[in-house]
PDB file of all heavy atoms in Angstrom:
ATOM      1  N   PHE A 289       4.322 -10.740  -0.818  1.00 90.00           N
ATOM      2  CA  PHE A 289       5.757 -10.462  -0.752  1.00 90.00           C
ATOM      3  C   PHE A 289       6.022  -8.971  -0.658  1.00 90.00           C
ATOM      4  O   PHE A 289       6.816  -8.520   0.171  1.00 90.00           O
ATOM      5  CB  PHE A 289       6.487 -11.047  -1.964  1.00 90.00           C
ATOM      6  CG  PHE A 289       7.897 -10.556  -2.089  1.00 90.00           C
ATOM      7  CD1 PHE A 289       8.887 -11.052  -1.264  1.00 90.00           C
ATOM      8  CD2 PHE A 289       8.222  -9.560  -2.997  1.00 90.00           C
ATOM      9  CE1 PHE A 289      10.196 -10.576  -1.354  1.00 90.00           C
ATOM     10  CE2 PHE A 289       9.506  -9.082  -3.099  1.00 90.00           C
ATOM     11  CZ  PHE A 289      10.511  -9.592  -2.272  1.00 90.00           C
ATOM     12  N   VAL A 290       5.351  -8.201  -1.505  1.00 91.00           N
ATOM     13  CA  VAL A 290       5.561  -6.750  -1.520  1.00 91.00           C
ATOM     14  C   VAL A 290       5.147  -6.134  -0.189  1.00 91.00           C
ATOM     15  O   VAL A 290       5.886  -5.329   0.385  1.00 91.00           O
ATOM     16  CB  VAL A 290       4.789  -6.097  -2.695  1.00 91.00           C
ATOM     17  CG1 VAL A 290       4.749  -4.587  -2.557  1.00 91.00           C
ATOM     18  CG2 VAL A 290       5.410  -6.498  -4.006  1.00 91.00           C
ATOM     19  N   SER A 291       3.991  -6.511   0.320  1.00 90.00           N
ATOM     20  CA  SER A 291       3.527  -5.899   1.567  1.00 90.00           C
ATOM     21  C   SER A 291       4.424  -6.282   2.741  1.00 90.00           C
ATOM     22  O   SER A 291       4.741  -5.428   3.584  1.00 90.00           O
ATOM     23  CB  SER A 291       2.072  -6.260   1.841  1.00 90.00           C
ATOM     24  OG  SER A 291       1.914  -7.639   1.989  1.00 90.00           O
ATOM     25  N   ILE A 292       4.865  -7.526   2.797  1.00 92.00           N
ATOM     26  CA  ILE A 292       5.753  -7.937   3.891  1.00 92.00           C
ATOM     27  C   ILE A 292       7.132  -7.312   3.736  1.00 92.00           C
ATOM     28  O   ILE A 292       7.713  -6.820   4.708  1.00 92.00           O
ATOM     29  CB  ILE A 292       5.833  -9.470   3.974  1.00 92.00           C
ATOM     30  CG1 ILE A 292       4.483 -10.040   4.397  1.00 92.00           C
ATOM     31  CG2 ILE A 292       6.925  -9.917   4.938  1.00 92.00           C
ATOM     32  CD1 ILE A 292       4.380 -11.545   4.288  1.00 92.00           C
ATOM     33  N   PHE A 293       7.676  -7.307   2.517  1.00 92.00           N
ATOM     34  CA  PHE A 293       8.990  -6.704   2.267  1.00 92.00           C
ATOM     35  C   PHE A 293       8.996  -5.228   2.655  1.00 92.00           C
ATOM     36  O   PHE A 293       9.910  -4.764   3.349  1.00 92.00           O
ATOM     37  CB  PHE A 293       9.365  -6.865   0.789  1.00 92.00           C
ATOM     38  CG  PHE A 293      10.594  -6.115   0.389  1.00 92.00           C
ATOM     39  CD1 PHE A 293      11.846  -6.620   0.680  1.00 92.00           C
ATOM     40  CD2 PHE A 293      10.499  -4.893  -0.266  1.00 92.00           C
ATOM     41  CE1 PHE A 293      12.993  -5.925   0.312  1.00 92.00           C
ATOM     42  CE2 PHE A 293      11.628  -4.193  -0.637  1.00 92.00           C
ATOM     43  CZ  PHE A 293      12.887  -4.710  -0.356  1.00 92.00           C
ATOM     44  N   CYS A 294       7.987  -4.485   2.214  1.00 91.00           N
ATOM     45  CA  CYS A 294       7.935  -3.052   2.517  1.00 91.00           C
ATOM     46  C   CYS A 294       7.645  -2.796   3.997  1.00 91.00           C
ATOM     47  O   CYS A 294       8.165  -1.842   4.574  1.00 91.00           O
ATOM     48  CB  CYS A 294       6.915  -2.355   1.634  1.00 91.00           C
ATOM     49  SG  CYS A 294       7.416  -2.283  -0.097  1.00 91.00           S
ATOM     50  N   PHE A 295       6.848  -3.652   4.626  1.00 91.00           N
ATOM     51  CA  PHE A 295       6.572  -3.500   6.055  1.00 91.00           C
ATOM     52  C   PHE A 295       7.852  -3.693   6.864  1.00 91.00           C
ATOM     53  O   PHE A 295       8.187  -2.867   7.728  1.00 91.00           O
ATOM     54  CB  PHE A 295       5.503  -4.511   6.486  1.00 91.00           C
ATOM     55  CG  PHE A 295       5.080  -4.385   7.919  1.00 91.00           C
ATOM     56  CD1 PHE A 295       4.139  -3.445   8.292  1.00 91.00           C
ATOM     57  CD2 PHE A 295       5.632  -5.198   8.895  1.00 91.00           C
ATOM     58  CE1 PHE A 295       3.750  -3.320   9.622  1.00 91.00           C
ATOM     59  CE2 PHE A 295       5.244  -5.088  10.215  1.00 91.00           C
ATOM     60  CZ  PHE A 295       4.293  -4.145  10.577  1.00 91.00           C
ATOM     61  N   ILE A 296       8.585  -4.760   6.572  1.00 93.00           N
ATOM     62  CA  ILE A 296       9.833  -5.026   7.297  1.00 93.00           C
ATOM     63  C   ILE A 296      10.884  -3.976   6.952  1.00 93.00           C
ATOM     64  O   ILE A 296      11.597  -3.487   7.839  1.00 93.00           O
ATOM     65  CB  ILE A 296      10.327  -6.454   7.004  1.00 93.00           C
ATOM     66  CG1 ILE A 296       9.375  -7.462   7.632  1.00 93.00           C
ATOM     67  CG2 ILE A 296      11.752  -6.661   7.518  1.00 93.00           C
ATOM     68  CD1 ILE A 296       9.648  -8.902   7.264  1.00 93.00           C
ATOM     69  N   GLY A 297      10.972  -3.604   5.663  1.00 91.00           N
ATOM     70  CA  GLY A 297      11.927  -2.571   5.264  1.00 91.00           C
ATOM     71  C   GLY A 297      11.659  -1.234   5.925  1.00 91.00           C
ATOM     72  O   GLY A 297      12.579  -0.570   6.394  1.00 91.00           O
ATOM     73  N   THR A 298      10.406  -0.841   5.986  1.00 89.00           N
ATOM     74  CA  THR A 298      10.045   0.420   6.638  1.00 89.00           C
ATOM     75  C   THR A 298      10.325   0.353   8.137  1.00 89.00           C
ATOM     76  O   THR A 298      10.778   1.334   8.727  1.00 89.00           O
ATOM     77  CB  THR A 298       8.571   0.759   6.368  1.00 89.00           C
ATOM     78  OG1 THR A 298       8.378   0.842   4.958  1.00 89.00           O
ATOM     79  CG2 THR A 298       8.173   2.070   7.014  1.00 89.00           C
ATOM     80  N   THR A 299      10.064  -0.793   8.744  1.00 90.00           N
ATOM     81  CA  THR A 299      10.355  -0.953  10.173  1.00 90.00           C
ATOM     82  C   THR A 299      11.858  -0.811  10.439  1.00 90.00           C
ATOM     83  O   THR A 299      12.269  -0.088  11.357  1.00 90.00           O
ATOM     84  CB  THR A 299       9.856  -2.319  10.671  1.00 90.00           C
ATOM     85  OG1 THR A 299       8.451  -2.431  10.400  1.00 90.00           O
ATOM     86  CG2 THR A 299      10.097  -2.477  12.157  1.00 90.00           C
ATOM     87  N   LEU A 300      12.666  -1.479   9.631  1.00 90.00           N
ATOM     88  CA  LEU A 300      14.127  -1.363   9.792  1.00 90.00           C
ATOM     89  C   LEU A 300      14.593   0.068   9.537  1.00 90.00           C
ATOM     90  O   LEU A 300      15.442   0.589  10.272  1.00 90.00           O
ATOM     91  CB  LEU A 300      14.836  -2.325   8.853  1.00 90.00           C
ATOM     92  CG  LEU A 300      14.711  -3.799   9.176  1.00 90.00           C
ATOM     93  CD1 LEU A 300      15.349  -4.642   8.083  1.00 90.00           C
ATOM     94  CD2 LEU A 300      15.350  -4.110  10.519  1.00 90.00           C
ATOM     95  N   TRP A 301      14.049   0.677   8.495  1.00 86.00           N
ATOM     96  CA  TRP A 301      14.411   2.055   8.166  1.00 86.00           C
ATOM     97  C   TRP A 301      14.047   3.000   9.311  1.00 86.00           C
ATOM     98  O   TRP A 301      14.832   3.878   9.662  1.00 86.00           O
ATOM     99  CB  TRP A 301      13.674   2.462   6.894  1.00 86.00           C
ATOM    100  CG  TRP A 301      14.502   3.226   5.924  1.00 86.00           C
ATOM    101  CD1 TRP A 301      14.334   4.518   5.579  1.00 86.00           C
ATOM    102  CD2 TRP A 301      15.618   2.756   5.190  1.00 86.00           C
ATOM    103  NE1 TRP A 301      15.278   4.884   4.658  1.00 86.00           N
ATOM    104  CE2 TRP A 301      16.077   3.820   4.405  1.00 86.00           C
ATOM    105  CE3 TRP A 301      16.291   1.548   5.119  1.00 86.00           C
ATOM    106  CZ2 TRP A 301      17.172   3.706   3.568  1.00 86.00           C
ATOM    107  CZ3 TRP A 301      17.367   1.425   4.279  1.00 86.00           C
ATOM    108  CH2 TRP A 301      17.798   2.495   3.517  1.00 86.00           C
ATOM    109  N   LEU A 302      12.882   2.801   9.900  1.00 84.00           N
ATOM    110  CA  LEU A 302      12.438   3.625  11.026  1.00 84.00           C
ATOM    111  C   LEU A 302      13.384   3.469  12.212  1.00 84.00           C
ATOM    112  O   LEU A 302      13.785   4.457  12.832  1.00 84.00           O
ATOM    113  CB  LEU A 302      11.012   3.249  11.421  1.00 84.00           C
ATOM    114  CG  LEU A 302      10.376   4.002  12.582  1.00 84.00           C
ATOM    115  CD1 LEU A 302      10.189   5.466  12.228  1.00 84.00           C
ATOM    116  CD2 LEU A 302       9.043   3.376  12.938  1.00 84.00           C
ATOM    117  N   PHE A 303      13.777   2.237  12.510  1.00 84.00           N
ATOM    118  CA  PHE A 303      14.694   2.012  13.632  1.00 84.00           C
ATOM    119  C   PHE A 303      16.083   2.579  13.351  1.00 84.00           C
ATOM    120  O   PHE A 303      16.720   3.130  14.250  1.00 84.00           O
ATOM    121  CB  PHE A 303      14.795   0.529  13.977  1.00 84.00           C
ATOM    122  CG  PHE A 303      13.592  -0.006  14.691  1.00 84.00           C
ATOM    123  CD1 PHE A 303      13.064  -1.233  14.348  1.00 84.00           C
ATOM    124  CD2 PHE A 303      12.961   0.705  15.701  1.00 84.00           C
ATOM    125  CE1 PHE A 303      11.952  -1.737  14.991  1.00 84.00           C
ATOM    126  CE2 PHE A 303      11.850   0.220  16.345  1.00 84.00           C
ATOM    127  CZ  PHE A 303      11.343  -1.010  15.993  1.00 84.00           C
ATOM    128  N   ILE A 304      16.562   2.454  12.120  1.00 83.00           N
ATOM    129  CA  ILE A 304      17.876   3.018  11.784  1.00 83.00           C
ATOM    130  C   ILE A 304      17.849   4.532  11.932  1.00 83.00           C
ATOM    131  O   ILE A 304      18.770   5.122  12.501  1.00 83.00           O
ATOM    132  CB  ILE A 304      18.285   2.605  10.353  1.00 83.00           C
ATOM    133  CG1 ILE A 304      18.643   1.116  10.315  1.00 83.00           C
ATOM    134  CG2 ILE A 304      19.451   3.444   9.850  1.00 83.00           C
ATOM    135  CD1 ILE A 304      18.814   0.552   8.930  1.00 83.00           C
ATOM    136  N   PHE A 305      16.800   5.159  11.456  1.00 78.00           N
ATOM    137  CA  PHE A 305      16.694   6.619  11.576  1.00 78.00           C
ATOM    138  C   PHE A 305      16.526   7.028  13.037  1.00 78.00           C
ATOM    139  O   PHE A 305      17.094   8.018  13.473  1.00 78.00           O
ATOM    140  CB  PHE A 305      15.521   7.136  10.743  1.00 78.00           C
ATOM    141  CG  PHE A 305      15.870   7.412   9.311  1.00 78.00           C
ATOM    142  CD1 PHE A 305      16.499   6.469   8.525  1.00 78.00           C
ATOM    143  CD2 PHE A 305      15.574   8.641   8.755  1.00 78.00           C
ATOM    144  CE1 PHE A 305      16.808   6.721   7.215  1.00 78.00           C
ATOM    145  CE2 PHE A 305      15.890   8.921   7.429  1.00 78.00           C
ATOM    146  CZ  PHE A 305      16.512   7.951   6.664  1.00 78.00           C
ATOM    147  N   ALA A 306      15.728   6.278  13.796  1.00 79.00           N
ATOM    148  CA  ALA A 306      15.496   6.635  15.200  1.00 79.00           C
ATOM    149  C   ALA A 306      16.752   6.468  16.041  1.00 79.00           C
ATOM    150  O   ALA A 306      16.989   7.245  16.972  1.00 79.00           O
ATOM    151  CB  ALA A 306      14.362   5.791  15.777  1.00 79.00           C
ATOM    152  N   CYS A 307      17.567   5.474  15.720  1.00 80.00           N
ATOM    153  CA  CYS A 307      18.795   5.231  16.487  1.00 80.00           C
ATOM    154  C   CYS A 307      19.967   6.087  16.035  1.00 80.00           C
ATOM    155  O   CYS A 307      21.026   6.071  16.661  1.00 80.00           O
ATOM    156  CB  CYS A 307      19.173   3.755  16.411  1.00 80.00           C
ATOM    157  SG  CYS A 307      17.989   2.682  17.234  1.00 80.00           S
ATOM    158  N   GLY A 308      19.814   6.819  14.938  1.00 76.00           N
ATOM    159  CA  GLY A 308      20.882   7.698  14.477  1.00 76.00           C
ATOM    160  C   GLY A 308      21.924   7.015  13.627  1.00 76.00           C
ATOM    161  O   GLY A 308      23.026   7.539  13.465  1.00 76.00           O
ATOM    162  N   GLY A 309      21.614   5.873  13.065  1.00 72.00           N
ATOM    163  CA  GLY A 309      22.571   5.156  12.233  1.00 72.00           C
ATOM    164  C   GLY A 309      22.608   5.640  10.802  1.00 72.00           C
ATOM    165  O   GLY A 309      23.213   5.008   9.947  1.00 72.00           O
ATOM    166  N   ASN A 310      21.999   6.764  10.515  1.00 72.00           N
ATOM    167  CA  ASN A 310      21.871   7.266   9.143  1.00 72.00           C
ATOM    168  C   ASN A 310      22.728   8.493   8.880  1.00 72.00           C
ATOM    169  O   ASN A 310      22.360   9.346   8.101  1.00 72.00           O
ATOM    170  CB  ASN A 310      20.409   7.602   8.855  1.00 72.00           C
ATOM    171  CG  ASN A 310      19.855   8.646   9.800  1.00 72.00           C
ATOM    172  OD1 ASN A 310      20.449   8.955  10.820  1.00 72.00           O
ATOM    173  ND2 ASN A 310      18.715   9.190   9.467  1.00 72.00           N
ATOM    174  N   GLN A 311      23.889   8.579   9.498  1.00 74.00           N
ATOM    175  CA  GLN A 311      24.660   9.811   9.399  1.00 74.00           C
ATOM    176  C   GLN A 311      25.816   9.759   8.407  1.00 74.00           C
ATOM    177  O   GLN A 311      26.582  10.694   8.323  1.00 74.00           O
ATOM    178  CB  GLN A 311      25.182  10.196  10.794  1.00 74.00           C
ATOM    179  CG  GLN A 311      24.064  10.529  11.761  1.00 74.00           C
ATOM    180  CD  GLN A 311      23.152  11.625  11.239  1.00 74.00           C
ATOM    181  OE1 GLN A 311      23.595  12.708  10.914  1.00 74.00           O
ATOM    182  NE2 GLN A 311      21.866  11.321  11.127  1.00 74.00           N
ATOM    183  N   SER A 312      25.938   8.683   7.632  1.00 73.00           N
ATOM    184  CA  SER A 312      26.959   8.625   6.592  1.00 73.00           C
ATOM    185  C   SER A 312      26.474   9.358   5.347  1.00 73.00           C
ATOM    186  O   SER A 312      25.287   9.648   5.198  1.00 73.00           O
ATOM    187  CB  SER A 312      27.278   7.170   6.236  1.00 73.00           C
ATOM    188  OG  SER A 312      27.803   6.500   7.360  1.00 73.00           O
ATOM    189  N   ASN A 313      27.393   9.608   4.424  1.00 74.00           N
ATOM    190  CA  ASN A 313      27.055  10.369   3.222  1.00 74.00           C
ATOM    191  C   ASN A 313      26.164   9.620   2.252  1.00 74.00           C
ATOM    192  O   ASN A 313      25.507  10.230   1.427  1.00 74.00           O
ATOM    193  CB  ASN A 313      28.330  10.788   2.501  1.00 74.00           C
ATOM    194  CG  ASN A 313      29.084  11.840   3.262  1.00 74.00           C
ATOM    195  OD1 ASN A 313      28.499  12.581   4.032  1.00 74.00           O
ATOM    196  ND2 ASN A 313      30.385  11.892   3.058  1.00 74.00           N
TER     197      ASN A 313
END
Side-chain angles (χ1 to χ4, degrees):
F289 168 76
V290 168
S291 62
I292 293 170
F293 172 79
C294 291
F295 184 82
I296 292 172
T298 302
T299 303
L300 290 174
W301 222 247
L302 180 65
F303 286 137
I304 288 169
F305 273 52
C307 294
N310 59 346
Q311 295 304 304
S312 298
N313 290 334

